[in-house]
Amino acid sequence: MARTKKTIDLDLERGIAPGVVTKTKKRLVVAAGRSHPELAGAVAEQLSIRLAPTEHRTFASGEIYTRFEVSMRGTDVFLIQSFGQDVNENLMELLIMLDALKRASAKRVTVVLPYYPYSRQDKKGRGREPISARLVTDLIATAGADRIMSVDLHASQIQGFFNGPVDHLFAKPVLLGHFQETLSPEERETLTVVSPDMGRVRVADTWSDSLNAPLAIIHKRRDPKVANQVSVHEIVGQVAGRTCLLVDDMIDTAGTIVKAAQALKDNGAEKVIVGATHAILSDPAVERLQDDSIDRVVVTDTVPIPAERRFEKLTVLSTAPLLARAIREVFDDGSVTSMFDGAA
């Protein structure tokens, strides 16, 4: 008893709250839903660990069941779930897994969303519309997430929807490294970075600086009453005889990208290369991207791309090293911003 009292007294003398120091250490655990097992496995491999054993079931009625097969008490969990064609089912599975982790006494849960669902519904464009991106964030928070990590949010303001830390990662280093290695000297000499619309000008401008290439902008008009339909109007900048690199955050039905590529070729572009982060590739994207106006398509694996949606012109780059490094920085209380030269 005297030894305990002496320790408490010493703590108070040093201005430290009295307590007991234990030998407990932080334990990094990576768990994953069923949406993108290849990416989750690759991230765990980069971290030199295995995914937490998890039981997943879907009942005949469509209800989802999840149970972690090992103790999660006191763990620092990074829960990976991406969103492909079954976005609503993937979202429900994520929420159920979060609830299971909360009830299993996980100490902290970081939700890793390589592609953030409903991110295009980040504001009201017309009366009586929802802000679904905010709703998704509220659901994730209520289910028990302490932190969110995502790649290339469609709108940066989504970070403000979550009342907690949000790590906004950028896929640019992954894509940029690929282009720096694969562009021929002739392509580098005639390279022009192109923004497919006014909303991506800021991102395209950073690409222009990184590649030391001029910038061109495509002005488009979208009918707010018709989804996935775009009309390209005019191009600002010189593209004739140039190798044009179209950069965007996502490709859904590919209507925007293909019309932009056609406009570039109609204005004399020599080659058109597409670089994008999220390859959602909803029908008829695969057919459209094989149009003669596009020479190459380079994307990352933030969204699962099944074999039937892959084609000869397509190159898929892994984001596992990027996600693994960010996870390690967060777990070690390091700096995610340092990964992007202070831009994150």
Side-chain angles (χ1 to χ4, degrees):
M1 293 295 292
R3 184 177 182 181
T4 302
K5 185 176 184 301
K6 183 178 180 181
T7 301
I8 292 174
D9 290 343
L10 288 173
D11 285 345
L12 290 172
E13 289 172 7
R14 295 197 301 265
I16 301 174
V20 177
V21 178
T22 69
K23 295 181 180 179
T24 303
K25 297 180 180 180
K26 291 200 299 182
R27 176 178 290 273
L28 189 159
V29 173
V30 176
R34 291 176 289 181
S35 64
H36 202 342
E38 296 83 5
L39 178 58
V43 170
E45 185 178 350
Q46 288 282 326
L47 293 166
S48 300
I49 60 176
R50 293 171 56 191
L51 292 173
T54 310
E55 178 185 359
H56 294 286
R57 276 192 256 159
T58 301
F59 295 109
S61 64
E63 291 185 4
I64 295 170
Y65 170 85
T66 289
R67 177 181 178 272
F68 293 96
E69 298 177 348
V70 291
S71 174
M72 306 298 281
R73 186 179 302 275
T75 55
D76 197 340
V77 183
F78 291 83
L79 176 57
I80 301 174
Q81 182 79 312
S82 192
F83 296 86
Q85 299 300 311
D86 300 319
V87 58
N88 296 319
E89 184 173 339
N90 296 154
L91 177 59
M92 194 66 204
E93 182 178 73
L94 170 68
L95 299 176
I96 290 172
M97 294 183 76
L98 276 168
D99 188 73
L101 286 168
K102 181 171 64 176
R103 297 178 191 280
S105 300
K107 185 175 183 179
R108 181 174 71 167
V109 182
T110 298
V111 175
V112 182
L113 309 174
Y115 167 62
Y116 197 96
Y118 288 90
S119 59
R120 284 171 287 183
Q121 298 184 42
D122 61 291
K123 59 183 179 295
K124 288 181 65 174
R126 303 166 65 203
R128 301 177 298 283
E129 283 186 341
I131 304 179
S132 303
R134 173 58 192 262
L135 173 62
V136 168
T137 304
D138 288 344
L139 290 170
I140 291 172
T142 302
D146 299 290
R147 189 182 195 106
I148 292 177
M149 181 182 295
S150 192
V151 181
D152 281 350
L153 291 169
H154 186 67
S156 294
Q157 70 194 46
I158 292 174
Q159 296 173 87
F161 294 168
F162 184 70
N163 190 24
V166 176
D167 298 300
H168 186 193
L169 312 182
F170 303 114
K172 180 185 169 186
V174 178
L175 292 161
L176 183 63
H178 172 81
F179 290 125
Q180 287 174 332
E181 292 176 2
T182 60
L183 288 174
S184 68
E186 293 78 13
E187 289 172 336
R188 289 295 299 270
E189 184 68 25
T190 62
L191 187 65
T192 293
V193 175
V194 181
S195 172
D197 56 49
M198 297 302 294
R200 304 300 295 173
V201 171
R202 185 167 174 267
V203 173
D205 191 41
T206 66
W207 276 85
S208 175
D209 291 339
S210 298
L211 290 168
N212 194 26
L215 176 67
I217 303 166
I218 295 178
H219 173 67
K220 71 177 184 181
R221 187 175 298 275
R222 186 189 295 273
D223 186 344
K225 297 181 180 180
V226 183
N228 302 117
Q229 289 194 19
V230 175
S231 297
V232 173
H233 284 257
E234 60 182 15
I235 298 173
V236 180
Q238 297 297 320
V239 298
R242 310 286 294 180
T243 297
C244 294
L245 175 59
L246 265 169
V247 292
D248 209 347
D249 65 322
M250 70 174 69
I251 303 176
D252 189 358
T253 60
T256 298
I257 288 293
V258 172
K259 287 193 175 183
Q262 290 171 345
L264 290 170
K265 284 290 179 75
D266 290 344
N267 282 268
E270 183 70 22
K271 291 182 181 178
V272 176
I273 303 170
V274 174
T277 304
H278 310 299
I280 302 170
L281 302 185
S282 303
D283 289 332
V286 173
E287 179 183 348
R288 284 175 171 172
L289 290 171
Q290 296 180 73
D291 188 86
D292 291 338
S293 61
I294 296 177
D295 294 276
R296 299 203 299 272
V297 180
V298 182
V299 298
T300 73
D301 62 351
T302 55
V303 176
I305 307 174
E308 62 271 18
R309 294 184 182 275
R310 301 196 179 212
F311 49 96
E312 188 177 354
K313 294 180 182 179
L314 181 68
T315 299
V316 182
L317 307 177
S318 175
T319 54
L322 174 76
L323 292 170
R325 183 180 170 191
I327 287 171
R328 176 59 71 180
E329 290 290 349
V330 170
F331 179 72
D332 290 338
D333 299 322
S335 172
V336 173
T337 301
S338 65
M339 297 171 55
F340 308 102
D341 298 325

